[in-house]
Amino acid sequence: AGMTVGALKDATGAAASTLSHHIRFLSQTALIVQEKQGRSIICRADFERIQSLANYPTKECCADAPSEKEHVQ
């Protein structure tokens, strides 16, 4: 799937310059993938990478924290 930059602009109501800034950041961090189709650019979320990033704090940063079971006892 994915959306064109124009469709993203319409869906979010964001100013073109603001949207461009966010898309550039998301693309540079590989959270979205961009594909040129004719004159349009299609943006797609990389859900595996987003999930991996979301899981990082609990797997790495909180690895030494006691589990909920240890809190209950």
Side-chain angles (χ1 to χ4, degrees):
M3 295 178 79
T4 64
V5 174
L8 284 169
K9 182 183 175 303
D10 292 343
T12 62
S17 60
T18 301
L19 185 60
S20 176
H21 168 78
H22 290 296
I23 288 173
R24 184 174 59 247
F25 176 79
L26 291 168
S27 181
Q28 288 174 345
T29 57
L31 294 174
I32 66 169
V33 176
Q34 293 183 301
E35 176 185 333
K36 189 163 174 87
Q37 289 184 355
R39 293 176 50 187
S40 298
I41 297 174
I42 307 297
C43 297
R44 292 185 181 84
D46 183 339
F47 290 108
E48 285 185 31
R49 185 157 175 94
I50 293 168
Q51 187 64 52
S52 175
L53 181 63
N55 289 337
Y56 179 81
T58 56
K59 286 184 179 178
E60 300 296 327
C61 300
C62 305
D64 296 334
S67 69
E68 262 189 58
K69 290 179 184 178
E70 293 171 329
H71 281 293
V72 174
Q73 295 176 349

